[in-house]
Short mmCIF file of all heavy atoms in Angstrom, two decimals:
data_model
loop_
_atom_site.label_atom_id
_atom_site.label_comp_id
_atom_site.label_asym_id
_atom_site.label_seq_id
_atom_site.Cartn_x
_atom_site.Cartn_y
_atom_site.Cartn_z
N GLY A 134 -49.85 -36.30 -11.85
CA GLY A 134 -50.50 -37.58 -11.56
C GLY A 134 -50.40 -37.93 -10.08
O GLY A 134 -51.38 -38.37 -9.45
N LEU A 135 -49.24 -37.69 -9.49
CA LEU A 135 -49.04 -38.01 -8.06
C LEU A 135 -49.81 -37.04 -7.17
O LEU A 135 -50.37 -37.44 -6.14
CB LEU A 135 -47.55 -38.01 -7.71
CG LEU A 135 -46.76 -39.15 -8.36
CD1 LEU A 135 -45.26 -38.99 -8.11
CD2 LEU A 135 -47.23 -40.50 -7.84
N CYS A 136 -49.85 -35.76 -7.57
CA CYS A 136 -50.64 -34.78 -6.79
C CYS A 136 -52.10 -35.21 -6.75
O CYS A 136 -52.76 -35.13 -5.70
CB CYS A 136 -50.56 -33.40 -7.42
SG CYS A 136 -49.07 -32.50 -7.02
N ILE A 137 -52.63 -35.68 -7.88
CA ILE A 137 -54.04 -36.10 -7.93
C ILE A 137 -54.26 -37.32 -7.02
O ILE A 137 -55.22 -37.38 -6.27
CB ILE A 137 -54.49 -36.37 -9.38
CG1 ILE A 137 -54.48 -35.06 -10.17
CG2 ILE A 137 -55.87 -37.03 -9.42
CD1 ILE A 137 -54.76 -35.19 -11.65
N LEU A 138 -53.34 -38.29 -7.07
CA LEU A 138 -53.49 -39.46 -6.19
C LEU A 138 -53.49 -39.04 -4.73
O LEU A 138 -54.22 -39.60 -3.92
CB LEU A 138 -52.36 -40.48 -6.42
CG LEU A 138 -52.42 -41.38 -7.65
CD1 LEU A 138 -51.45 -42.55 -7.48
CD2 LEU A 138 -53.81 -41.93 -7.93
N LEU A 139 -52.68 -38.06 -4.38
CA LEU A 139 -52.64 -37.59 -3.00
C LEU A 139 -53.95 -36.88 -2.64
O LEU A 139 -54.57 -37.17 -1.61
CB LEU A 139 -51.43 -36.66 -2.79
CG LEU A 139 -51.37 -35.88 -1.47
CD1 LEU A 139 -51.48 -36.80 -0.26
CD2 LEU A 139 -50.09 -35.06 -1.37
N GLU A 140 -54.38 -35.96 -3.51
CA GLU A 140 -55.64 -35.24 -3.24
C GLU A 140 -56.79 -36.20 -3.04
O GLU A 140 -57.59 -36.06 -2.12
CB GLU A 140 -55.99 -34.34 -4.43
CG GLU A 140 -55.52 -32.94 -4.31
CD GLU A 140 -56.36 -31.99 -5.18
OE1 GLU A 140 -57.59 -31.97 -5.06
OE2 GLU A 140 -55.74 -31.28 -5.98
N GLU A 141 -56.88 -37.21 -3.92
CA GLU A 141 -58.01 -38.13 -3.87
C GLU A 141 -57.92 -39.07 -2.67
O GLU A 141 -58.93 -39.46 -2.09
CB GLU A 141 -58.14 -38.92 -5.19
CG GLU A 141 -58.47 -38.02 -6.38
CD GLU A 141 -59.68 -37.12 -6.12
OE1 GLU A 141 -60.83 -37.57 -6.28
OE2 GLU A 141 -59.47 -35.95 -5.74
N ALA A 142 -56.70 -39.42 -2.25
CA ALA A 142 -56.54 -40.26 -1.04
C ALA A 142 -57.05 -39.47 0.18
O ALA A 142 -57.71 -40.02 1.06
CB ALA A 142 -55.08 -40.66 -0.85
N LEU A 143 -56.78 -38.18 0.20
CA LEU A 143 -57.24 -37.34 1.32
C LEU A 143 -58.76 -37.19 1.27
O LEU A 143 -59.44 -37.27 2.30
CB LEU A 143 -56.57 -35.96 1.27
CG LEU A 143 -55.07 -35.92 1.56
CD1 LEU A 143 -54.49 -34.55 1.29
CD2 LEU A 143 -54.77 -36.33 3.00
N ASN A 144 -59.30 -37.02 0.05
CA ASN A 144 -60.77 -36.87 -0.09
C ASN A 144 -61.52 -38.12 0.33
O ASN A 144 -62.66 -38.04 0.75
CB ASN A 144 -61.14 -36.53 -1.53
CG ASN A 144 -60.85 -35.09 -1.85
OD1 ASN A 144 -60.75 -34.27 -0.92
ND2 ASN A 144 -60.66 -34.76 -3.11
N ALA A 145 -60.86 -39.29 0.20
CA ALA A 145 -61.54 -40.56 0.49
C ALA A 145 -61.50 -40.90 1.98
O ALA A 145 -62.10 -41.89 2.41
CB ALA A 145 -60.88 -41.69 -0.31
N LEU A 146 -60.82 -40.09 2.76
CA LEU A 146 -60.71 -40.42 4.20
C LEU A 146 -62.05 -40.29 4.91
O LEU A 146 -62.83 -39.37 4.61
CB LEU A 146 -59.71 -39.46 4.87
CG LEU A 146 -58.23 -39.73 4.60
CD1 LEU A 146 -57.39 -38.57 5.12
CD2 LEU A 146 -57.78 -41.04 5.24
N PRO A 147 -62.34 -41.17 5.86
CA PRO A 147 -63.57 -41.02 6.63
C PRO A 147 -63.56 -39.71 7.40
O PRO A 147 -62.50 -39.19 7.75
CB PRO A 147 -63.54 -42.21 7.59
CG PRO A 147 -62.30 -42.96 7.34
CD PRO A 147 -61.52 -42.31 6.25
N GLU A 148 -64.77 -39.18 7.63
CA GLU A 148 -64.89 -37.88 8.31
C GLU A 148 -64.67 -38.04 9.81
O GLU A 148 -65.61 -37.92 10.59
CB GLU A 148 -66.28 -37.28 8.05
CG GLU A 148 -66.54 -36.87 6.62
CD GLU A 148 -65.90 -35.54 6.26
OE1 GLU A 148 -66.20 -34.54 6.93
OE2 GLU A 148 -65.07 -35.52 5.34
N LEU A 149 -63.46 -38.35 10.19
CA LEU A 149 -63.14 -38.51 11.62
C LEU A 149 -62.35 -37.28 12.07
O LEU A 149 -61.55 -36.76 11.27
CB LEU A 149 -62.31 -39.77 11.84
CG LEU A 149 -63.03 -41.08 11.49
CD1 LEU A 149 -62.07 -42.26 11.46
CD2 LEU A 149 -64.14 -41.32 12.50
N PRO A 150 -62.55 -36.84 13.31
CA PRO A 150 -61.91 -35.58 13.74
C PRO A 150 -60.40 -35.54 13.49
O PRO A 150 -59.88 -34.53 13.01
CB PRO A 150 -62.21 -35.53 15.25
CG PRO A 150 -63.39 -36.41 15.43
CD PRO A 150 -63.39 -37.44 14.35
N TYR A 151 -59.68 -36.64 13.77
CA TYR A 151 -58.22 -36.56 13.59
C TYR A 151 -57.81 -36.53 12.13
O TYR A 151 -56.78 -35.96 11.77
CB TYR A 151 -57.49 -37.68 14.37
CG TYR A 151 -58.03 -39.06 14.16
CD1 TYR A 151 -57.53 -39.89 13.17
CD2 TYR A 151 -59.04 -39.56 14.99
CE1 TYR A 151 -58.03 -41.18 12.99
CE2 TYR A 151 -59.55 -40.84 14.81
CZ TYR A 151 -59.04 -41.65 13.81
OH TYR A 151 -59.53 -42.91 13.64
N PHE A 152 -58.63 -37.12 11.24
CA PHE A 152 -58.33 -37.02 9.81
C PHE A 152 -58.66 -35.60 9.30
O PHE A 152 -57.91 -35.03 8.50
CB PHE A 152 -59.13 -38.05 9.01
CG PHE A 152 -58.58 -39.46 9.10
CD1 PHE A 152 -59.42 -40.57 9.02
CD2 PHE A 152 -57.21 -39.69 9.24
CE1 PHE A 152 -58.91 -41.86 9.10
CE2 PHE A 152 -56.69 -40.98 9.32
CZ PHE A 152 -57.56 -42.06 9.25
N ILE A 153 -59.77 -35.06 9.79
CA ILE A 153 -60.15 -33.70 9.36
C ILE A 153 -59.06 -32.71 9.76
O ILE A 153 -58.63 -31.86 9.01
CB ILE A 153 -61.52 -33.30 9.97
CG1 ILE A 153 -62.61 -34.22 9.40
CG2 ILE A 153 -61.85 -31.84 9.70
CD1 ILE A 153 -63.97 -34.09 10.04
N LYS A 154 -58.56 -32.88 10.99
CA LYS A 154 -57.50 -32.00 11.51
C LYS A 154 -56.23 -32.17 10.66
O LYS A 154 -55.60 -31.17 10.27
CB LYS A 154 -57.25 -32.35 12.99
CG LYS A 154 -56.14 -31.56 13.65
CD LYS A 154 -56.67 -30.20 14.12
CE LYS A 154 -55.66 -29.35 14.84
NZ LYS A 154 -54.60 -28.80 14.07
N ALA A 155 -55.88 -33.44 10.39
CA ALA A 155 -54.65 -33.70 9.62
C ALA A 155 -54.76 -33.07 8.23
O ALA A 155 -53.80 -32.46 7.74
CB ALA A 155 -54.39 -35.20 9.52
N LYS A 156 -55.93 -33.20 7.62
CA LYS A 156 -56.11 -32.61 6.27
C LYS A 156 -55.93 -31.10 6.32
O LYS A 156 -55.34 -30.50 5.43
CB LYS A 156 -57.52 -32.93 5.75
CG LYS A 156 -57.64 -34.32 5.17
CD LYS A 156 -58.79 -34.40 4.19
CE LYS A 156 -60.04 -34.93 4.83
NZ LYS A 156 -61.14 -35.13 3.87
N SER A 157 -56.44 -30.49 7.41
CA SER A 157 -56.33 -29.03 7.50
C SER A 157 -54.87 -28.61 7.76
O SER A 157 -54.52 -27.45 7.58
CB SER A 157 -57.26 -28.48 8.58
OG SER A 157 -56.72 -28.78 9.85
N ASN A 158 -54.04 -29.54 8.16
CA ASN A 158 -52.61 -29.23 8.38
C ASN A 158 -51.79 -29.31 7.10
O ASN A 158 -50.60 -29.02 7.11
CB ASN A 158 -52.01 -30.23 9.38
CG ASN A 158 -52.39 -29.92 10.81
OD1 ASN A 158 -52.78 -28.80 11.11
ND2 ASN A 158 -52.28 -30.90 11.69
N LEU A 159 -52.42 -29.77 6.01
CA LEU A 159 -51.66 -29.99 4.76
C LEU A 159 -52.02 -28.98 3.68
O LEU A 159 -53.19 -28.69 3.46
CB LEU A 159 -52.01 -31.37 4.19
CG LEU A 159 -51.41 -32.61 4.83
CD1 LEU A 159 -52.00 -33.85 4.18
CD2 LEU A 159 -49.89 -32.62 4.65
N THR A 160 -51.01 -28.49 3.00
CA THR A 160 -51.22 -27.66 1.81
C THR A 160 -50.47 -28.34 0.68
O THR A 160 -49.27 -28.60 0.81
CB THR A 160 -50.63 -26.24 2.02
OG1 THR A 160 -51.17 -25.71 3.23
CG2 THR A 160 -50.92 -25.32 0.86
N ILE A 161 -51.18 -28.66 -0.40
CA ILE A 161 -50.52 -29.35 -1.51
C ILE A 161 -50.25 -28.36 -2.63
O ILE A 161 -51.14 -27.60 -3.04
CB ILE A 161 -51.43 -30.48 -2.07
CG1 ILE A 161 -51.79 -31.45 -0.94
CG2 ILE A 161 -50.75 -31.22 -3.22
CD1 ILE A 161 -52.85 -32.46 -1.33
N ILE A 162 -49.02 -28.38 -3.10
CA ILE A 162 -48.65 -27.48 -4.21
C ILE A 162 -48.05 -28.31 -5.33
O ILE A 162 -47.14 -29.12 -5.10
CB ILE A 162 -47.62 -26.41 -3.74
CG1 ILE A 162 -48.27 -25.51 -2.68
CG2 ILE A 162 -47.10 -25.59 -4.93
CD1 ILE A 162 -47.32 -24.48 -2.08
N ASN A 163 -48.56 -28.12 -6.53
CA ASN A 163 -47.98 -28.81 -7.69
C ASN A 163 -46.93 -27.88 -8.31
O ASN A 163 -47.25 -26.81 -8.81
CB ASN A 163 -49.09 -29.14 -8.70
CG ASN A 163 -48.56 -29.72 -9.99
OD1 ASN A 163 -48.92 -29.29 -11.09
ND2 ASN A 163 -47.68 -30.68 -9.89
N GLY A 164 -45.67 -28.29 -8.23
CA GLY A 164 -44.61 -27.46 -8.79
C GLY A 164 -43.26 -27.97 -8.33
O GLY A 164 -43.16 -29.00 -7.66
N ASP A 165 -42.23 -27.23 -8.72
CA ASP A 165 -40.87 -27.60 -8.33
C ASP A 165 -40.55 -26.92 -6.99
O ASP A 165 -40.66 -25.70 -6.87
CB ASP A 165 -39.89 -27.13 -9.42
CG ASP A 165 -38.50 -27.72 -9.20
OD1 ASP A 165 -38.05 -27.82 -8.03
OD2 ASP A 165 -37.85 -28.07 -10.20
N SER A 166 -40.13 -27.72 -6.00
CA SER A 166 -39.88 -27.16 -4.67
C SER A 166 -38.71 -26.17 -4.67
O SER A 166 -38.54 -25.42 -3.72
CB SER A 166 -39.65 -28.27 -3.66
OG SER A 166 -38.64 -29.12 -4.10
N ARG A 167 -37.92 -26.16 -5.75
CA ARG A 167 -36.82 -25.19 -5.80
C ARG A 167 -37.36 -23.75 -5.82
O ARG A 167 -36.61 -22.81 -5.59
CB ARG A 167 -35.92 -25.45 -7.01
CG ARG A 167 -35.06 -26.69 -6.83
CD ARG A 167 -34.11 -26.88 -7.99
NE ARG A 167 -33.30 -28.07 -7.81
CZ ARG A 167 -33.69 -29.28 -8.10
NH1 ARG A 167 -34.88 -29.48 -8.61
NH2 ARG A 167 -32.89 -30.32 -7.88
N GLU A 168 -38.63 -23.62 -6.12
CA GLU A 168 -39.26 -22.28 -6.03
C GLU A 168 -39.14 -21.73 -4.61
O GLU A 168 -39.27 -20.53 -4.40
CB GLU A 168 -40.76 -22.37 -6.36
CG GLU A 168 -41.09 -23.09 -7.65
CD GLU A 168 -41.29 -22.14 -8.81
OE1 GLU A 168 -41.77 -21.05 -8.56
OE2 GLU A 168 -40.93 -22.52 -9.95
N PHE A 169 -38.93 -22.60 -3.64
CA PHE A 169 -38.85 -22.17 -2.23
C PHE A 169 -37.40 -21.96 -1.78
O PHE A 169 -37.16 -21.72 -0.61
CB PHE A 169 -39.51 -23.22 -1.31
CG PHE A 169 -41.00 -23.23 -1.42
CD1 PHE A 169 -41.64 -23.93 -2.42
CD2 PHE A 169 -41.79 -22.53 -0.50
CE1 PHE A 169 -43.02 -23.95 -2.52
CE2 PHE A 169 -43.16 -22.54 -0.59
CZ PHE A 169 -43.79 -23.26 -1.61
N LEU A 170 -36.46 -22.02 -2.73
CA LEU A 170 -35.05 -21.91 -2.33
C LEU A 170 -34.72 -20.57 -1.69
O LEU A 170 -33.78 -20.46 -0.92
CB LEU A 170 -34.14 -22.14 -3.55
CG LEU A 170 -33.84 -23.60 -3.88
CD1 LEU A 170 -33.08 -23.71 -5.19
CD2 LEU A 170 -33.07 -24.26 -2.75
#
Side-chain angles (χ1 to χ4, degrees):
L135 292 173
C136 279
I137 293 174
L138 283 196
L139 170 54
E140 266 204 54
E141 295 309 278
L143 292 172
N144 283 339
L146 284 170
E148 293 281 303
L149 296 168
Y151 49 92
F152 283 149
I153 295 171
K154 178 82 178 70
K156 280 203 264 185
S157 74
N158 283 340
L159 284 174
T160 307
I161 304 171
I162 296 176
N163 174 228
D165 191 321
S166 54
R167 287 184 180 82
E168 309 263 328
F169 288 83
L170 276 173

